[in-house]
Amino acid sequence: MRNHNLENYNFSGDAGVKSPSFLVLLFSVLLFFVVLFFSISAGSIGFHPVQTFKIIVNSLFGTGDISNIPENNITIIMNIRLPRAILAAMVGAALSLSGAVMQGLLKNPLADGSTLGITSGGTLGAILAIALNTNIPFIPGIGIVVMSIIFSFLSLVLILFLSYKIDYHLSTQTIILMGIIFTMLINSINSLIVALSGEGLKQVIFWTMGSFSGRGWSHVCLMLPLFIIATVILLALSRELDAFSLGEEQARYIGVSTKRVKLLILIMVSVLVGASVAVSGTIGFVGLVIPHITRFITGPGHKKLLPFSVLSGASFLMAADLLSRTIISPAELPIGVVTSLIGALIFIYIFYKKSRKGF
């Protein structure tokens, strides 16, 4: 008798889709570090790649002479630009990975944190935490992160529950429509809270458009453990996500505990999106567009799609953040504006190309 076990199945994706070679992977890694270096090197004090290289080498290995570099430049590079670039990379990777996972789980090419209302829910949680001054002893700022994650998870569960009640088959149109309606509702509530909270929360208006301004090592430390845990778990579920592409019933048939896996995925996605919202505000289109671009390279198999989405999302958001703080320097654009503009144009093109072939 045949043993119907997940390990016996080889999910290679669509026939004819060429798997990315080692050179493509190497290029993605190199691109990540190049964008990271440029993000650290460029800013309001100008572009100083040589100084940046010397400072980083000295900080990592304790070698090299940096005595001729102004102390102010060292502080800016190590305590302002570096943590900001690392945070942008983590948020970009988290949003892109979340989008790729949700698109695979729901078999929905339009699924991501913003279209499903998860981001708006996390924003509501963060704003409530600020308005109510929610704090947890000994860990500054963790109250906002916790509230954002909880509201992200509750929002996702509520949207899927309502969509299921309306449409048993959970069609793409129903889920996206519920996500849009929910997002509009939550945005109205967010605006109401800000309006009723006086001048103290008016700064949140800028934050809801997404920004890494003023973020430092404390924000990196807040997000890093959550990012690592959630990312490792989701990457480990790549075969289960491939099984879901065959249909939930078939996934159960080959040994996937569908309820447990779905719950674990929903929790981990909520952790990534909620933590991202808590440290950077609302940043749209990353989780929607980047997985689509990555899928062109890797094919639909999640074993390659998910890690490539992590690298691509990190590089994209670091580049977008660099653009947001240099394009009108010394002023700064909200990064959500930059990602929405770039992402919308890219997605219109992708949607046009796919609509001619059919999703």
Side-chain angles (χ1 to χ4, degrees):
M1 180 179 294
R2 184 177 180 181
N3 180 25
H4 297 288
N5 189 283
L6 182 63
E7 300 302 322
N8 295 329
Y9 286 77
N10 179 30
F11 302 101
S12 56
D14 293 341
V17 176
K18 188 176 180 181
S19 298
S21 66
F22 173 76
L23 290 179
V24 176
L25 176 61
L26 180 62
F27 173 79
S28 298
V29 175
L30 289 176
L31 178 63
F32 170 82
F33 283 106
V34 168
V35 176
L36 175 63
F37 182 76
F38 272 81
S39 296
I40 301 170
S41 301
S44 58
I45 61 172
F47 179 57
H48 301 290
V50 176
Q51 282 189 10
T52 301
F53 181 77
K54 288 182 178 180
I55 292 170
I56 292 175
V57 169
N58 181 267
S59 299
L60 290 177
F61 307 108
T63 60
D65 182 19
I66 59 172
S67 58
N68 61 333
I69 300 176
E71 187 67 29
N72 184 52
N73 288 13
I74 298 175
T75 300
I76 289 174
I77 289 171
M78 295 304 300
N79 295 328
I80 297 178
R81 290 184 187 171
L82 180 59
R84 177 169 178 156
I86 293 174
L87 193 64
M90 284 196 293
V91 171
L95 295 177
S96 179
L97 177 60
S98 299
V101 167
M102 292 307 296
Q103 288 167 18
L105 179 65
L106 300 176
K107 293 185 291 185
N108 183 338
L110 298 178
D112 93 308
S114 56
T115 57
L116 292 177
I118 313 173
T119 302
S120 297
T123 302
L124 175 60
I127 289 178
L128 284 174
I130 296 173
L132 300 175
N133 196 25
T134 303
N135 291 311
I136 295 178
F138 310 116
I139 311 179
I142 194 65
I144 296 177
V145 175
V146 170
M147 286 282 283
S148 184
I149 291 172
I150 291 173
F151 274 73
S152 294
F153 178 72
L154 293 177
S155 300
L156 179 55
V157 171
L158 178 61
I159 288 167
L160 293 178
F161 174 76
L162 293 175
S163 299
Y164 179 81
K165 287 295 183 181
I166 295 172
D167 180 2
Y168 176 78
H169 299 289
L170 286 175
S171 67
T172 295
Q173 294 86 347
T174 303
I175 296 175
I176 297 303
L177 180 61
M178 287 304 303
I180 292 172
I181 294 172
F182 183 81
T183 298
M184 293 173 65
L185 174 63
I186 296 301
N187 287 343
S188 299
I189 296 174
N190 289 340
S191 299
L192 179 63
I193 294 174
V194 172
L196 295 178
S197 298
E199 295 298 324
L201 271 184
K202 291 298 171 64
Q203 58 177 335
V204 175
I205 296 175
F206 183 82
W207 175 77
T208 55
M209 291 186 288
S211 175
F212 292 106
S213 178
R215 304 304 192 260
W217 288 114
S218 61
H219 297 88
V220 173
C221 293
L222 275 176
M223 184 168 181
L224 184 60
L226 298 173
F227 172 76
I228 292 175
I229 293 170
T231 298
V232 169
I233 291 174
L234 290 177
L235 291 177
L237 294 174
S238 59
R239 293 184 65 83
E240 284 80 358
L241 283 166
D242 284 332
F244 272 105
S245 67
L246 303 174
E248 194 166 328
E249 184 176 340
Q250 181 66 16
R252 282 195 297 268
Y253 181 67
I254 61 177
V256 177
S257 177
T258 54
K259 289 185 178 179
R260 180 185 65 83
V261 171
K262 285 169 67 176
L263 179 60
L264 184 58
I265 288 174
L266 295 181
I267 291 174
M268 292 302 104
V269 167
S270 300
V271 167
L272 288 178
V273 174
S276 298
V277 170
V279 300
S280 65
T282 304
I283 299 176
F285 280 97
V286 178
L288 186 62
V289 172
I290 299 302
H292 278 289
I293 297 175
T294 306
R295 201 173 284 111
F296 290 147
I297 303 172
T298 68
H302 290 86
K303 185 177 181 180
K304 294 184 176 71
L305 173 63
L306 298 187
F308 268 80
S309 294
V310 169
L311 285 171
S312 302
S315 299
F316 172 77
L317 200 58
M318 282 193 296
D321 180 55
L322 176 61
L323 187 63
S324 73
R325 59 188 170 86
T326 57
I327 191 170
I328 57 171
S329 181
E332 181 175 321
L333 282 174
I335 191 171
V337 174
V338 176
T339 58
S340 295
L341 178 61
I342 297 174
L345 294 175
I346 294 175
F347 187 73
I348 289 172
Y349 174 76
I350 293 173
F351 189 80
Y352 171 74
K353 297 289 287 186
K354 282 186 171 289
S355 65
R356 300 186 66 181
K357 299 177 182 179
F359 277 109

